[in-house]
Each structure stands twice: as C-alpha cells, then as structure tokens.
C-alpha cells in the first residue's frame, strides 16, 4: 500500500491538492506549446513572440506581492481557485480566437496579461497552502509527491500537446488548456485546510507588505538566491522559452519536436521528484545555487544546433536538476519562514525571481533578429553560468544546513477508500 510508505497519502485535503496538481499542470502544458505556435502560425516574428510571452510574465511584478498578502489573510486554496479561473479565461479565449480567425497581436498580449495575472497570484498561495495541510515531519514527502504529480502531468501534457498542435493546430490546444484548468476549481474549493494563516489584524495591505519585506531581507540565503534566479530566469527564458520554438520551427521539425523537448524536460522533472523522495541534501542552499549552472545547458544546446535527440537529453538533465532544486527550496522556505508570513515572503520570492524575466523576453526576440538566434543563446548560457557561480560566494549559502523537521502529528482526516 502506498499509504504505508507515504503516510501523507492518508490525508483527505492533500489528496484533493494532489488531484489539482495532476489536472492543472497537464492542461497548462497545452498552453506552453500552444501559445508559441499560435503566434508563429499567425505570421508573428520572434519579436512578436517576445511581446506575447513578456505579457504573460509582466503581471508578476504586481500580483505576486498582492497574491501573497491575500493568501496570508484568507484560505490560500480559494486564491488558487480564482487564479485558475483567470488562466482558464485567458487561454480559453485565446484558443477560441485562434479557432475562429487570426487573432491580432494586441489581443494575444491582452489575454496573456490575464493568464499571467492568474499565474502570479497562484505562486505565493501555493507555497502557503501545502504546509497548512501536512505536519512538518511529512513536508518533504508531501512536497516531493505533489511536485511529482505536477511533473507527470506536464510530461504527458507536453507530449500530447505537441501532437495536437501539429495535427489540428494551436487553437485546440489552448481551448483544452482552458477547460482543464477550470475542472480543478471544485476540488480546490473542497479543501478544508485552515480558514486563514493568521488572525485578522485589520492591518493595511501596505503594512503587510512591509512586514513581508522585513522577513524576506532578514535571511541572507534567501535574498541572494532570489537575486541569482532573477538574472538566471531572465537569460533562460529569453534563450530557451522565447527562442527555443524559433529554433524548433527552423531546424528541429516544428511543434512536434518542441513538444518532445518539453516532454523530455517533464520526464526530468519526474526524475528529480523521485530523487527528492530518496534523500535531502546536507547543504540545501549550496545545491539550489549550483543547480543554476545546469540551466545554461538548454540554450547552449539550441545555440549549437544539436540533434533533436541530444537536445531532449539535455532537457531531461535540466529538468531533473530543476525539480530537485525546487523541492529543496520549497521545504527550506517552509521550515525557515514564519508560517504567518510565508505567503507574503513567497510573494517577494516570486517577484524577485521573475521581475527581470519580462525584460529577457522583450530583449530576446529583437536581439535575435539583429544579431542572430545562436549568438543570443550563447550569451544567455554564459550569463546563467556566471551568475550562478557568483551566488556560491556568500558563506551562508555555501555552509547553511536546515534545522531538523519538527515531529508533529495532528489528527489525520483519512480519505474514503484505500490508497494503493
């Protein structure tokens, strides 16, 4: 029985969360492939694709912080449900426009802003929800299993999405995304969890943001890593997410090939999740900082025009390192940040990690048009590696160890039926 090996599977609320993290990421995988090829198939240039993808990330600059404050005040599962509805509205409407005619650039940008708002508010609420559903002693296990479910769904979704886009077009892929994300809302609203992470205080949103900032800046390991990934994600997103589909369309075989690259990355994410179930690192921040170097491999492989099979292998390796790093990061945040401030602190984490990403998206397309796709990807790979090595210099990053988990065993609400 799986429940004997993984006791967290006996918890009803966690199983509902697990169902959401199977369905929603699988649906979002259709967006990852669908949006890029909807823009390119509509005659869009690499610069147009930059603008559309930047529009998806830009809301993070505002709504990560707002979402963090809200999720520290009300049940985070309600915030996630609202976020999923925004994503469904944005991607579903995008899909309908593609199916009924050629969407205009301004329409695609506006709809991706809507989708990006949902993604931005999701992150801090998601970080706060899981620790409220399981005891600290099961947190590593719960984080690994939930992310494993997400990545299995993304793996299958990316592979199917590539075929769907190649056979019937990106419009259907985006419509499937909207329908799938909508289906998760009843599950999220069925989660009981905690009504709120803290007692209502009547404090203003500005005061809440100041308290979150105070918590964020008090941890050197936290702001150093967030600063590192702010630059890493800027370079990686531009070199891989924006320019990757351009390389796939020109040299690797189109949408099906890009779907295969995304699927390989998702297989790597699954492998990283399994690795995180097996062991936890002694020096978590050293691992998190060092994992950034690995991300340089994907834009490098595309710049060198490696064969599709080799690009898929590289994508698998990057996925494995990224997922193991994310589990370690999630657990470290939950164990070292005050629970009543976790969502707000995660908002600053999300903002800092992603605030330069729109710039990377905006630069990548025009720069590729002027200097060439390969040259921009080489620069992206070099920047990722250099910044990640610099992040290892602070002593607290290199030597920090996590405190042991607290043994808490609250009453478990057992899910109906066996889990096996």
């Amino acid at each position: 029985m799986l429940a004997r090996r993984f006791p967290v599977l006996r918890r009803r609320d966690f199983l509902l969360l697990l169902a959401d993290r199977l369905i929603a990421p699988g649906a979002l995988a259709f967006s990852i492939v669908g949006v890029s090829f909807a823009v390119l198939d509509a005659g869009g240039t690499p610069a147009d694709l930059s603008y559309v993808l930047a529009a998806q990330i830009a809301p993070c600059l505002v709504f990560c912080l707002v979402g963090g404050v809200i999720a520290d005040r009300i049940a985070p599962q309600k915030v996630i449900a609202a976020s999923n509805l925004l994503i469904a509205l944005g991607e579903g409407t995008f899909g309908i426009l593609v199916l009924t005619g050629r969407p205009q650039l301004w329409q695609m940008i506006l709809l991706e802003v809507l989708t990006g708002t949902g993604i931005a508010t999701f992150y801090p609420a998601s970080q706060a929800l899981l620790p409220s559903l399981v005891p600290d002693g099961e947190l590593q296990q719960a984080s690994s299993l939930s992310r494993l479910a997400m990545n299995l769904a993304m793996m299958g979704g990316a592979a199917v999405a590539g075929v769907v886009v190649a056979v019937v077009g990106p419009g259907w892929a985006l419509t499937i995304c909207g329908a799938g994300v909508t289906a998760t809302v009843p599950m999220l609203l069925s989660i009981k969890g905690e009504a709120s992470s803290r007692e209502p205080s009547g404090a203003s949103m500005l005061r809440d943001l100041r308290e979150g900032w105070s918590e964020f800046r008090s941890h050197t390991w936290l702001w150093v890593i967030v600063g590192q990934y702010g630059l890493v994600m800027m370079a990686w997103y531009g070199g891989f997410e924006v320019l990757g589909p351009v390389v796939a369309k020109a040299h690797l075989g189109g949408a099906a090939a890009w779907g295969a690259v995304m699927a390989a990355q998702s297989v790597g994410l699954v492998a990283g999740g399994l690795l995180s179930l097996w062991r936890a690192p002694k020096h978590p921040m050293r691992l998190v900082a060092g994992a950034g170097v690995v991300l340089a491999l994907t834009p490098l492989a595309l710049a060198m025009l490696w064969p599709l099979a080799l690009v898929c292998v590289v994508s698998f390796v990057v996925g494995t390192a990224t997922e193991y790093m994310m589990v370690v990061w999630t657990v470290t945040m939950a164990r070292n940040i005050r629970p009543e401030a976790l969502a707000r602190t995660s908002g600053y984490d999300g903002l800092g990690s992603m605030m330069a990403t729109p710039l990377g998206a905006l630069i990548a397309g025009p720069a590729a048009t002027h200097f060439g796709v390969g040259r921009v990807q080489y620069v992206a790979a070099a920047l990722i590696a250099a910044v990640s090595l610099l992040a290892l210099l602070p002593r607290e990053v290199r030597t920090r160890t996590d405190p042991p988990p607290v043994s808490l065993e609250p009453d478990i609400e057992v899910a109906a039926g066996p889990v096996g």
Side-chain angles (χ1 to χ4, degrees), residues 1-11 14-15 17-18 21 130-131 133-150 272-280 323-324 327-328 330-332 334-335 405 409 412 419:
M1 295 286 288
L2 284 175
R4 292 181 182 177
R5 174 66 181 85
F6 305 112
V8 73
L9 291 175
R10 294 161 55 201
R11 301 181 183 277
F14 178 72
L15 289 179
L17 178 64
L18 208 59
R21 295 190 173 182
L130 185 60
L133 302 182
V134 302
D136 188 70
E138 295 176 2
L139 188 56
Q140 173 94 17
Q141 182 183 104
S143 180
S144 298
L145 287 172
S146 65
R147 293 189 62 84
L148 187 62
M150 291 171 63
L274 292 173
L275 180 61
S276 69
L277 280 171
W278 174 52
R279 63 173 299 171
E323 180 58 18
Y324 188 50
V327 172
V328 171
T330 299
V331 173
T332 302
R335 286 182 177 162
E409 195 59 39
I412 298 176
V419 180

Side-chain angles (χ1 to χ4, degrees), residues 101-128:
R102 179 169 291 188
Q104 301 298 308
L105 180 61
W106 70 266
Q107 293 173 320
M108 294 187 283
I109 290 173
L110 185 62
L111 290 171
E112 287 310 298
V113 167
L114 191 62
T115 296
T117 301
I119 294 172
T121 52
F122 161 83
Y123 177 74
S126 177
Q127 291 289 87

